[in-house]
Amino acid sequence: MSAVLVAVVLSLVSAVAYAAAAVAQERLASRSAGSGTLRLLARGAWWWSVGLNAAAALLHVVALKYGPLTVVQPLGALTLVAAVPMGARLAGRRVSAVEWRGTALTLLGLAAILVTASGPAPDDVLSVPEALTVAGATAALIGLLSRPGARPGLRHAGASGVASGVASALTQTVTVAATDRSGPLLSVQVVGVALLVAAFAAGGLLLSQTAYRGGLGGPLAMVTLANPLAAAVIGLALLGERLQGGPAGVLLALAGAGLASWGVVLLSRTTPASVPADDDHPVAAVLALDAGSAAAEPALVPRPHDPGHLTTATR
């Protein structure tokens, strides 16, 4: 099995784990709206979602060892593709025709990108000055996106995607530098960049949790687009990675990016409905895979302008 194929398989499994974590985070955010992100630290279900994210991140790290950044990062878009049937199951409904079209367009676009990005395994890494420069520029961009203003969900999601993409690029630097055996395992470069990875990964997780308060589809689509874009800029500009096929390859990659972007837009138009969950079983509760429970438990909510009258609201 070739190194690139190993990277692709690991990336696919990682995407599914990230999708499950995203659905979990969205459900927790919708149930904890207005209570503050830090209060989630006391909830076991939130830590299960963190565990899913950690497992996905570990698979992603291994994939970066075998494949170039321009191959591994685009596969992150499959997180949204995997989240669609999970979200549909959560809402007790079928996947819509629009969602199927979005899935097909996303996969077709990713295939075009992979054809042009299937280069050799990475052997270049960021230097310490380059890593610090990237970290500083990223922190400034995240601060700009996180400022108060309109559409905070999408802006926080964009900041989360940038943070995660940069963390992936820095992770590749750590894994390659730590395993090439040309220097000490715990060199200043490895330790320093590893700390930056931890900071951006944690920041990306908290930013996405905040973004999901506005729903799953739009914010997850924004994370999906911003993540590979940030990583690709670093890979192409600083790590010496190149698209295959010359000008024709560039055009094919751009066409694939356009198709994948339109597919992501289509997929983001449907937001799964929320359902109650039983905190005694964190994983099943967070993902709410028993659709029957969603249909069996209507919620009583006050009708507008008539607080004393209760009506059934279906989910």
Side-chain angles (χ1 to χ4, degrees), residues 57 60-61 64 126 131 135 163-175 189-205:
H60 188 77
V61 168
L64 286 170
L126 294 174
S164 299
V166 171
S168 294
L170 296 177
T171 296
Q172 186 180 54
T173 292
V174 172
T175 55
Q189 180 188 30
V190 173
V191 174
V193 177
L195 291 175
L196 291 175
V197 169
F200 281 119
L205 177 65

Side-chain angles (χ1 to χ4, degrees), residues 54 98 105 167 210:
V98 171
L105 287 172
T210 301

Side-chain angles (χ1 to χ4, degrees), residues 27 48 90 275-278 280-290 293:
R27 293 201 68 247
W48 277 100
L90 173 67
V275 293
D278 181 3
D280 291 336
H281 303 282
V283 175
V286 170
L287 296 180
L289 294 181
D290 183 5
S293 64

